[in-house]
Amino acid sequence: MRRIVKYLIIVIIGFTVGFLIVHIINRYGEKKEAETRIQSLPCVSFNSISGIPVNLHEFDQTKPLIIIYFHPECEHCRYEAREIGQNAPAFHHFQLVMVAPDDSLQRVEKFCSETHLWELENLEILLDTENQFKKVFGNAVIPSVYIYATNRKLIKIFFGETKPQAIINATKNSLTSN
Amino acid sequence: MSNLFNNKFKLLLVLIALYFLLHFALIYLFDTVDIYIQTFQNQLSINRIEKLFKLSNKHQWLSYSFLPIIVFSRIIYSSLFLYIGVFFTELKIKFAQLFKIALIADFVYVLAGLAKLVVLIFFKQVNTLEDLQFQPLSIMELLNEKTVDPLFVYPLSLLNVFELAYFLVLAWLLVGIINEANKEHPVKYGKSLQLVTASYGSGLLLWVLVVMFITLNLN
């Protein structure tokens, strides 16, 4: 009996360690791959509010692209969106794309109305209905901001709530570097 | 038996009290709105930082209430893996005895906390919250944090002088218990260290892997 218990302990610990190592190696590999991939704007499509697939490369290539990943129920996203809405003129020269993992159209529309995002002409709201964002970008921190220059090279990532001035400063650097 | 329990309970209370003191000192000296502003000013507006600071202060009691649970769980975890190791050697040692040596050895971590506090007060310029997150005398301290992948920060921080001291103290305390249980065939310190390395070492490896797993899957 004692011998069986010993073998059982070895098997359980060995299996757990093995499982964790394999998972860590795989996940780490995926993460590194995504880190390299997103250095240039990835070729990925999300659905527009009207349900039409929109590729991130379809936007005006003469403007830097700001991708904001958000959730309509997140308080930090709400604050960030409201701040962007209030500072709309400062974002006039950029293309803003807000991607929500939530497939509830009503909630997203309510969020945009409450934060006055509809008033921004250069803003596109997209829905990540098939959970592509995490697969492609490697992370799905809510909220997060990805800034791409006009040549569609990544210049800056912000994880967590970000003030408009920080986003503008990062894009200013991109304009001067171009 | 009751005396043994009382001793252990008193020891545990002293240990937790020391952790409380260290935690209080860290918060009292370094948990200021200025440090929050310096940490987050590039990303958040001042009023949001102040709100964050107030929120953090409001929930500070949570960190105090979790402290005894964390300490107690760590001691139980070490004792459990030592018990598994002892189980493989056929020695007759009770879990309570292993709990006691894990409890005594845990004072090494108090020393680590004290060393960190001394470094922070006298030798380190603390500007941001990141400056508080370090493990003195660790491999991580020899490396540039910016060049290390976040996944490896915890394992490299764990490779430190105090962790090594914990292993040595645990083995030193265990040798006494083994020889008491096995008077005819006393073992040497090296044998006890082997047992600690195999048992507690496995537990530590498992823990590090769990932390790395969580770090990778958190986002």
Side-chain angles (χ1 to χ4, degrees):
Chain A
M1 181 63 188
R2 202 178 167 92
R3 184 175 281 186
I4 294 170
V5 176
K6 280 181 187 176
Y7 282 128
L8 206 65
I9 290 170
I10 291 170
V11 168
I12 292 170
I13 294 177
F15 179 79
T16 314
V17 167
F19 168 78
L20 289 171
I21 288 174
V22 169
H23 189 90
I24 288 167
I25 291 171
N26 287 342
R27 184 82 185 97
Y28 185 67
E30 283 170 16
K31 241 185 162 161
K32 285 281 141 193
E33 230 173 76
E35 266 177 37
T36 316
R37 188 190 308 126
I38 62 164
Q39 291 310 308
S40 294
L41 183 68
C43 189
V44 59
S45 299
F46 301 106
N47 284 348
S48 69
I49 297 282
S50 50
I52 302 161
V54 178
N55 194 293
L56 291 180
H57 282 275
E58 287 176 24
F59 295 103
D60 187 353
Q61 305 261 339
T62 60
K63 289 178 176 177
L65 181 69
I66 299 168
I67 303 167
I68 301 170
Y69 188 64
F70 76 105
H71 192 284
E73 304 258 299
C74 150
E75 197 271 326
H76 296 284
C77 306
R78 190 168 291 273
Y79 179 82
E80 193 171 313
R82 202 174 289 130
E83 286 287 299
I84 288 172
Q86 282 169 2
N87 290 279
F91 289 94
H92 184 69
H93 299 295
F94 310 107
Q95 175 63 52
L96 287 161
V97 176
M98 292 187 72
V99 185
D102 189 36
D103 57 357
S104 160
L105 196 59
Q106 272 185 330
R107 265 198 294 203
V108 175
E109 283 181 331
K110 194 177 167 217
F111 174 89
C112 293
S113 302
E114 285 171 358
T115 52
H116 303 282
L117 285 177
W118 295 134
E119 291 161 26
L120 275 88
E121 285 175 9
N122 53 337
L123 173 80
E124 185 78 32
I125 303 285
L126 300 176
L127 301 175
D128 179 22
T129 45
E130 287 164 24
N131 290 323
Q132 287 283 307
F133 199 91
K134 189 172 182 173
K135 280 182 209 155
V136 176
F137 285 83
N139 273 301
V141 178
I142 294 173
S144 49
V145 181
Y146 295 77
I147 304 168
Y148 285 91
T150 47
N151 60 3
R152 295 306 184 240
K153 297 282 177 206
L154 180 71
I155 2 170
K156 183 85 182 165
I157 304 176
F158 289 105
F159 291 125
E161 185 186 307
T162 310
K163 61 181 177 183
Q165 197 53 50
I167 300 172
I168 293 161
N169 286 348
T171 49
K172 265 181 194 163
N173 295 340
S174 83
L175 289 171
T176 48
S177 66
N178 282 330
Chain B
M1 182 66 193
S2 153
N3 195 27
L4 193 72
F5 175 77
N6 277 339
N7 282 343
K8 269 187 281 194
F9 188 67
K10 278 178 197 164
L11 215 55
L12 184 63
L13 282 183
V14 171
L15 184 70
I16 291 169
L18 288 170
Y19 278 118
F20 269 132
L21 272 175
L22 284 170
H23 190 60
F24 172 77
L26 268 176
I27 287 176
Y28 182 75
L29 293 170
F30 302 108
D31 194 33
T32 63
V33 73
D34 287 344
I35 285 184
Y36 269 68
I37 290 172
Q38 300 233 45
T39 307
F40 301 111
Q41 65 182 350
N42 289 337
Q43 197 169 339
L44 298 175
S45 57
I46 298 293
N47 64 328
R48 292 296 279 180
I49 298 172
E50 283 169 352
K51 198 179 169 190
L52 181 74
F53 179 71
K54 276 180 195 159
L55 195 74
S56 155
N57 269 4
K58 197 180 161 188
H59 293 106
Q60 221 163 59
W61 62 272
L62 269 174
S63 64
Y64 283 104
S65 52
F66 274 114
L67 207 58
I69 301 167
I70 293 166
V71 174
F72 187 71
S73 308
R74 187 168 64 206
I75 295 166
I76 289 282
Y77 188 78
S78 300
S79 320
L80 186 71
F81 274 90
L82 284 176
Y83 191 70
I84 291 171
V86 167
F87 179 77
F88 275 83
T89 60
E90 312 278 336
L91 288 164
K92 300 239 178 306
I93 297 174
K94 287 178 185 162
F95 184 81
Q97 290 173 291
L98 297 170
F99 179 84
K100 191 174 181 183
I101 66 164
L103 177 60
I104 296 168
D106 212 86
F107 280 86
V108 172
Y109 293 133
V110 174
L111 277 180
L114 198 63
K116 183 174 176 171
L117 195 64
V118 168
V119 171
L120 284 171
I121 294 171
F122 298 107
F123 305 105
K124 203 169 168 136
Q125 179 78 30
V126 181
N127 296 320
T128 64
L129 290 173
E130 281 86 47
D131 294 331
L132 297 174
Q133 289 159 358
F134 77 102
Q135 182 62 51
L137 304 175
S138 69
I139 298 281
M140 195 58 220
E141 284 299 283
L142 302 172
L143 305 166
N144 179 2
E145 200 172 330
K146 283 174 186 159
T147 61
V148 179
D149 192 285
L151 180 67
F152 301 107
V153 170
Y154 180 70
L156 290 171
S157 299
L158 212 60
L159 292 174
N160 65 69
V161 170
F162 296 100
E163 195 59 50
L164 178 71
Y166 183 78
F167 267 85
L168 298 175
V169 170
L170 214 50
W172 176 64
L173 293 167
L174 186 65
V175 80
I177 292 181
I178 294 174
N179 289 340
E180 202 179 294
N182 187 26
K183 282 177 184 155
E184 292 108 42
H185 307 287
V187 296
K188 286 189 176 163
Y189 179 76
K191 192 85 186 159
S192 171
L193 190 59
Q194 267 179 21
L195 181 60
V196 169
T197 309
S199 55
Y200 171 69
S202 305
L204 191 63
L205 172 71
L206 194 64
W207 173 246
V208 169
L209 289 172
V210 168
V211 171
M212 289 173 86
F213 179 84
I214 294 169
T215 309
L216 273 172
N217 288 285
L218 209 60
N219 301 321

